[in-house]
Amino acid sequence: MHRWSKLFIPTLREAPADAEVASHRFLVRSGYIRQLGAGIYNYLFLGQRSLNKIIGIVREEMDQIAQEFYLPGILPREPWEQSGRWAGMGDNMFRLKDRKGADLCLGMTHEEIMTTIARNELRSYKQLPQIWYQIQSKFRDEPRPKSGLLRVRQFTMKDSYSFDIDKAGLDKSFDLHDAVYRKIFTRCGLKFVAVEADSGSMGGSQSQEFMVYTDAGEDLIASCPVCGYAANLEKATSRLDPVVEMETTGDGTPELVSTPGCAAISDVAEFFKISPASDIKCVAYMARKVGAKGEPDTWHGVAAFLRGDHQVNETKLLGATKGVELRTMQTDELTQYFSGPAGFLGPVGLKPDAKPLEDGLTVVVDKSLEGRKNLVAGANKLDYHLRNVVPGRDFSWTLAADIRSVNEGESCPVDGCAGKLVVGKAVEIGHIFKLGYKYSESMGAKVLDPNGKEVTPIMGSYGIGIERILTAAIEQSNDKNGFWLPASIAPFTVVVTVTNIGDALLKETGEALAAELEAAGLDVLLDDRDERAGVKFKDADLVGIPYRINVGKKAAEGLVELVTRATATSVDVKLNEAVALVKERVQEDALLTAVGE
RNA sequence: CGGGGCGUAGCGCAGCCUGGUAGCGCAUCUGCUUUGGGAGCAGAGGGGCGGGGGUUCGAAUCCCUCCGCCCCGACCA
């Protein structure tokens, strides 16, 4: 039996000053975790217990569709070189050398390693499909660890990888994961939403994230309350209202206008008495392209043009140009590509590369500029703008793409839906995507098909952040006194609080009740500390245990008190009915979360 | 990497500007009283002020430098 008096549960009355988000404050205050360094945490008794419960659920569900492996966390350079990600991962990968000077890295994800196994072992279509998973520590040299366990440099991830003979097979593996993930998050008591997502540096086509709405989150989700459309802002689109075009002036060709000091969109709009939607904004970037085998990476100029009232979405821009990293141009780089200064940059007169990220300038225009006319744009000359600018007639581009972020209030992109998008913050707890052939191809995995022909298996990759499930659950359920977890992932289901351990009757009653609860299969913590009742109540409220049974004054009459943490309500129960009631409550909760979502 | 802030006892903080050898609350330990929402009284222990260097008779306080942590931004499978 777990007796609080013997355990190490270092609760804190005050949280460390640098803990900002609720989950961070409470994880530390409740003695779940202690910080060791920036983004590096020790998980103590309660924290580890809760994580183990989460892992238990993940494993149980994953075992329905996949086979568990355990891969190393420290990895040689070769597989990463083969996939092109040794360079592609950039500074986010922890790298080290062994005593012989050989390059190694700490695994941030395991596509390469799983693919190595597949390449070495899989020979026939008869062996497919395969789905392999593991639960492992991942390492990422985050530029900025933050928010307790939300963004860390070492964390636990369930990652799985599917190998299929064809696209239909991949679809099936993807759908299996989608279904299993929904079960897992539901069992963990999370209110989550599945959204369309960008596939980022992983490559691939379809990509779906599982998100929990919380202000502590770092992702933005656009969703439609009418039809249920939901997408990460890195991916979301919207339907734009038509813009009333400006009147044509003069002969209708671009006309140079002196606009002294009008460097900002707002200045230009005011000067011409136009809406910012009729002004063309230019944002100049340098984009990094991964070099061909053995070649170093190269940087190329990219000019992004979009409506003055829109914001560049750098993830979309990167995707459109096939670059791996963006940074804004420095002044000396601007002069290399443009004849005018920042604030007066425009598309007219530029010579776009035919293909993105070549030696010259890559010009990307947002799709919302296509078909527009009589726009205002910078003239690439200090204190001058052009008007009557018509995209396509007056300037051309390397490519047109959706490179802007949608805004709250814009129309839902789904055909026939009249909803308006809302944008909210969320934290990503899982991600599934169809990788395609990126890894199997580059690393040379092949099997024979029924015709004896060599084919490359198609892959999927699927992740769940274990700590993030805990963090999201806390963000979702806390008050000023602490937090409460669903019984399924709480370190204990019920705490038996003996209000006065010096009273022999109470002590014995508590011991007996705790033993009974344990015998009934519940995870019980007996608070047998020689503390005042108030102290024990405060601690119980703090540490996330969903149920508490107070053994106190009324024990002499054969009554104890069952307190439900989530609602802060209590009922008196006959001692001999307490166990059954707690079991019943826990089962009801499980049912509720099962229908929830 | 850019901007800002902070490092003094386990936690939260004061002291630094105007140098004189470190303090408060909580926590901890002992005793007595108390015992249903972080008890009261009395007593005790614990740090030499992130590290190094410098200025000075004297540095937590001033200067230099390095390290660490947090926040905003950049970044983020």
Side-chain angles (χ1 to χ4, degrees):
Chain A
M1 176 174 312
H2 291 282
R3 295 166 199 277
W4 201 315
S5 65
K6 306 283 186 239
L7 297 173
F8 182 63
I9 305 176
T11 58
L12 258 29
R13 209 155 165 173
E14 288 174 282
D18 51 27
E20 300 246 323
V21 302
S23 59
H24 186 196
R25 283 200 311 275
F26 288 132
L27 281 166
V28 174
R29 279 193 59 199
S30 60
Y32 274 51
I33 62 170
R34 284 295 185 265
Q35 183 172 23
L36 187 60
I40 307 176
Y41 287 86
N42 295 312
Y43 306 138
L44 309 185
F45 178 63
L46 289 186
Q48 182 59 14
R49 259 186 94 86
S50 178
L51 291 172
N52 279 153
K53 294 250 177 129
I54 294 167
I55 288 171
I57 291 173
V58 170
R59 178 172 283 134
E60 209 176 297
E61 295 297 338
M62 284 305 300
D63 281 344
Q64 302 301 311
I65 64 165
Q67 307 153 68
E68 182 169 3
F69 286 16
Y70 186 74
L71 273 35
I74 185 167
L75 309 169
R77 171 173 177 161
E78 289 70 38
W80 297 87
E81 202 65 72
Q82 288 162 6
S83 71
R85 288 208 296 182
W86 181 261
M89 281 301 191
D91 292 335
N92 251 24
M93 186 150 80
F94 276 109
R95 293 154 203 267
L96 58 156
K97 284 186 190 296
D98 68 12
R99 59 172 72 201
K100 289 183 279 187
D103 286 313
L104 299 164
C105 68
L106 300 182
M108 46 198 301
T109 174
H110 283 75
E111 279 77 10
E112 281 80 355
I113 314 308
M114 285 291 189
T115 308
T116 301
I117 298 173
R119 176 187 61 195
N120 293 345
E121 314 288 340
L122 296 177
R123 291 287 169 261
S124 160
Y125 73 95
K126 292 179 188 167
Q127 292 171 294
L128 300 183
Q130 290 290 329
I131 303 179
W132 301 335
Y133 83 98
Q134 65 164 344
I135 296 168
Q136 237 289 18
S137 290
K138 303 285 172 179
F139 301 88
R140 289 184 194 181
D141 192 0
E142 289 287 346
R144 191 179 155 208
K146 57 179 286 199
S147 306
L149 294 188
L150 228 41
R151 175 169 293 287
V152 287
R153 294 195 287 179
Q154 175 178 348
F155 59 98
T156 316
M157 181 162 133
K158 186 292 298 176
D159 49 322
S160 43
Y161 306 86
S162 63
F163 299 87
D164 281 281
I165 193 72
D166 56 20
K167 284 203 169 66
L170 173 59
D171 289 347
K172 197 171 164 205
S173 295
F174 184 90
D175 292 344
L176 281 174
H177 277 88
D178 179 47
V180 157
Y181 274 36
R182 287 171 194 273
K183 257 194 234 168
I184 289 171
F185 299 135
T186 300
R187 283 185 63 185
C188 290
L190 294 175
K191 294 192 199 80
F192 64 96
V193 54
V195 307
E196 288 177 28
D198 178 66
S199 30
S201 76
M202 302 294 299
S205 51
Q206 193 180 353
S207 166
Q208 179 176 295
E209 288 171 331
F210 292 86
M211 314 289 290
V212 172
Y213 280 106
T214 160
D215 280 341
E218 299 183 280
D219 281 291
L220 291 169
I221 304 301
S223 63
C224 173
V226 176
C227 73
Y229 168 82
N232 194 305
L233 214 65
E234 296 174 345
K235 178 86 176 179
T237 58
S238 65
R239 207 160 0 104
L240 292 170
D241 298 330
V243 183
V244 180
E245 300 291 6
M246 309 270 304
E247 293 292 315
T248 305
T249 57
D251 63 0
T253 60
E255 175 190 354
L256 199 60
V257 180
S258 170
T259 53
C262 293
I265 298 289
S266 53
D267 300 333
V268 177
E270 193 174 334
F271 181 93
F272 286 97
K273 304 279 181 264
I274 57 171
S275 146
S278 292
D279 186 21
I280 298 180
K281 171 196 273 188
C282 175
V283 189
Y285 292 97
M286 295 301 290
R288 180 161 68 92
K289 181 167 83 168
V290 176
K293 290 249 184 325
E295 298 295 312
D297 292 0
T298 47
W299 288 87
H300 307 270
V302 173
F305 292 102
L306 61 171
R307 261 167 57 169
D309 56 338
H310 289 164
Q311 299 294 317
V312 178
N313 186 304
E314 297 186 0
T315 304
K316 288 182 178 178
L317 181 58
L318 262 187
T321 57
K322 306 272 192 288
V324 289
E325 186 182 346
L326 279 181
R327 60 174 174 77
T328 49
M329 272 194 199
Q330 311 287 316
T331 311
D332 58 320
E333 288 160 342
L334 277 173
T335 57
Q336 199 183 317
Y337 292 100
F338 297 92
S339 53
F344 300 91
L345 302 178
V348 179
L350 297 178
K351 293 188 185 60
D353 279 341
K355 283 196 268 177
L357 308 193
E358 300 280 307
D359 289 336
L361 182 68
T362 302
V363 174
V364 185
V365 304
D366 185 69
K367 283 194 175 299
S368 65
L369 289 181
E370 286 185 305
R372 300 284 313 280
K373 59 177 189 175
N374 299 345
L375 302 171
V376 169
N380 291 318
K381 182 177 178 187
L382 179 63
D383 288 341
Y384 282 94
H385 278 78
L386 293 171
R387 69 171 151 205
N388 296 329
V389 173
V390 179
R393 182 192 72 181
D394 301 322
F395 66 92
S396 57
W397 45 80
T398 308
L399 57 101
D402 173 15
I403 57 166
R404 72 181 195 94
S405 291
V406 306
N407 295 307
E408 177 143 331
E410 289 173 359
S411 298
C412 176
V414 173
D415 280 343
C417 177
K420 300 286 183 196
L421 296 179
V422 293
V423 175
K425 278 184 170 178
V427 58
E428 177 187 351
I429 51 173
H431 198 163
I432 59 180
F433 43 104
K434 300 181 180 173
L435 288 176
Y437 300 99
K438 175 169 172 166
Y439 300 92
S440 44
E441 173 94 60
S442 61
M443 302 185 67
K446 286 188 174 66
V447 298
L448 291 181
D449 73 6
N451 306 315
K453 217 180 77 189
E454 275 198 332
V455 293
T456 303
I458 187 165
M459 292 175 59
S461 158
Y462 319 86
I464 289 180
I466 302 296
E467 289 89 340
R468 281 193 174 179
I469 291 183
L470 174 60
T471 310
I474 297 175
E475 289 295 335
Q476 184 178 284
S477 306
N478 68 81
D479 60 21
K480 66 181 194 316
N481 294 319
F483 62 98
W484 55 96
L485 294 172
S488 58
I489 65 169
F492 291 98
T493 305
V494 54
V495 51
V496 174
T497 302
V498 177
T499 58
N500 183 355
I501 204 71
D503 183 320
L505 171 69
L506 300 191
K507 184 166 187 283
E508 281 162 28
T509 307
E511 292 267 353
L513 178 59
E516 229 184 301
L517 287 160
E518 199 165 67
L522 294 163
D523 271 323
V524 190
L525 175 59
L526 175 66
D527 193 350
D528 59 342
R529 291 175 298 167
D530 184 13
E531 288 286 353
R532 298 170 63 83
V535 173
K536 299 200 231 189
F537 293 158
K538 288 288 186 194
D539 272 345
D541 285 347
L542 177 62
V543 300
I545 301 174
Y547 295 102
R548 178 172 100 220
I549 297 180
N550 291 334
V551 179
K553 289 179 209 160
K554 285 169 272 189
E557 309 156 34
L559 290 176
V560 292
E561 194 177 19
L562 175 62
V563 183
T564 304
R565 177 63 181 88
T567 54
T569 52
S570 65
V571 288
D572 287 341
V573 202
K574 289 199 185 113
L575 190 52
N576 58 10
E577 290 169 3
V579 176
L581 183 59
V582 175
K583 279 198 89 159
E584 194 179 306
R585 288 285 179 87
V586 170
Q587 273 159 14
E588 277 169 17
D589 286 357
L591 283 176
L592 277 180
T593 51
V595 242
E597 198 200 314

